[in-house]
Amino acid sequence: MLTIAYDGTDYHGFARLKEDPDTIEGNIDRAIKKVTGETVEITGASRTDSGVHALCNAAVFDTESSVPAFNFTDALNTKLPPDIRIRRSTEVPGDFHPRHTDTLKTYRYEIDNERTADPLRSRYSMLVGYALDTDSMNRAGAELVGEHDFKSFCSVHTQAASTVRTVTGIEVIRDGTCSERIYIMVRGHGFLYNMVRIIAGTLIDVGRGRLAPEDVTDILYAADRTKNPCPTAEAKGLTLMDIEFLGLEDR
Amino acid sequence: MLTIAYDGTDYHGFARLKEDPDTIEGNIDRAIKKVTGETVEITGASRTDSGVHALCNAAVFDTESSVPAFNFTDALNTKLPPDIRIRRSTEVPGDFHPRHTDTLKTYRYEIDNERTADPLRSRYSMLVGYALDTDSMNRAGAELVGEHDFKSFCSVHTQAASTVRTVTGIEVIRDGTCSERIYIMVRGHGFLYNMVRIIAGTLIDVGRGRLAPEDVTDILYAADRTKNPCPTAEAKGLTLMDIEFLGLEDR
């Protein structure tokens, strides 16, 4: 199992695409081939969208190689571009599948709440130039915590059999240390296609006063993306911060 | 007066260079020409090295333009590359010179203290893979606070008439929230060529145990860069965080 960090700016998402070499999976598959000589397709835990970043995504693969699991970290890093880094490599049970295991995932959506973008954060945050009321955003976020049908917060292109998911926490934090920055932390057991970005887009609309926090409950119960007037927030502001595999021992 | 933020990764430093268009000053000079039609050379407060970043550098220029000072922010930003941003533009007295005014500058040197680089911070931090003792680093930093001849912490290529400077504070902070990161905050009334990067390189050597904190006093008193065995830390870890112009009203 690999723990993987990447700056998603220059990649077309995590998931392997035929005839497109610029995916995170594609790059790691090729690095493994260079190290072991084997043709493998890694199985990722989170198929993040194009432009989304990760500090701790995960993927597994089978190998006949005699290279100890621990040594794959440095071996793969020498073959990977600098904006994709393996942070840990460990052995896991052969039947472990990272998407068929209960997980707790933590995402952070970063908002640069200034008039002019901070060029040191512009790859990793969305610029929102108007004032945001984080108290309202927190109240709206609380409406979404729990097990719900999140169809109103899911791309219409989803192929998921069920759109019911459990969100365990949403917290909106303002950090004005250097400049005004707002983090939307979203944690839950799995997410639908674009779900965190639509939650972020909805909370931003609440923060600027276009919607009241209570309106978010109506949107949730409508269970229809077309009944949610809020945009999908930009990919670049989203970072997958952590995945906890429940039942799997500490990586 | 312009307040300027930039990601220095792709630039050859702040100061204008003949026949090199890729400096921060060169880009801003050209943007002003596009807005006002005038050929100007801005005067910067801090001539940061190639690869160094800034959140709040400053520069002044004279103009005959009738565009109000406030409007230069947006006007220039539309002409500048996205990794250089004007954050504020205000009128200052005509005789104000940002390098002939007493200032208090705050720099941050960021260390990614992990085995593998965090790709989301690798443009803005130096990877240090060995353990660092931040208590020792803080003790060493305290030895440098005050008015001293900093010739041991200055590039041999300096052209400064005097190498005496006043450092008002050095603080080493460990932040382990997401991953191990160490910040060296350095504040003072002006700095010599490479001075903050040499202070950072010296404190890192102390942190890893190559030098004792007291050795830093001997190095300081030697007043000779060749008597300081420590390296100049990488440019990319350094960010100019703030410049306070003492005696100038709030920008």
Side-chain angles (χ1 to χ4, degrees), chain A residues 6 85-86 116 120-121 123, chain B residues 6 86 116 120-121 123:
Chain A
Y6 46 89
R85 294 288 89 186
I86 307 300
T116 305
L120 274 62
R121 293 307 300 166
R123 297 165 77 92
Chain B
Y6 46 87
I86 306 301
T116 306
L120 274 64
R121 292 307 300 166
R123 296 165 77 92

Side-chain angles (χ1 to χ4, degrees), chain A residues 119-120 122, chain B residues 5-11 24 80-85 123:
Chain A
L120 274 62
S122 60
Chain B
Y6 46 87
D7 178 331
T9 308
D10 296 331
Y11 295 97
I24 307 296
L80 284 165
D83 47 9
I84 303 177
R85 294 288 89 187
R123 296 165 77 92

Side-chain angles (χ1 to χ4, degrees), chain A residues 5 12 16 26 38 62 67 69 97 103 105-106 139 144 185 187 189 196 238:
Chain A
H12 303 145
R16 178 184 307 106
E38 298 168 333
D62 294 316
V67 173
H97 189 296
T103 57
K105 293 181 186 174
T106 305
R139 286 206 302 281
L144 299 176
M185 307 299 299
R187 180 175 284 196
H189 300 280
V196 182
L238 186 63

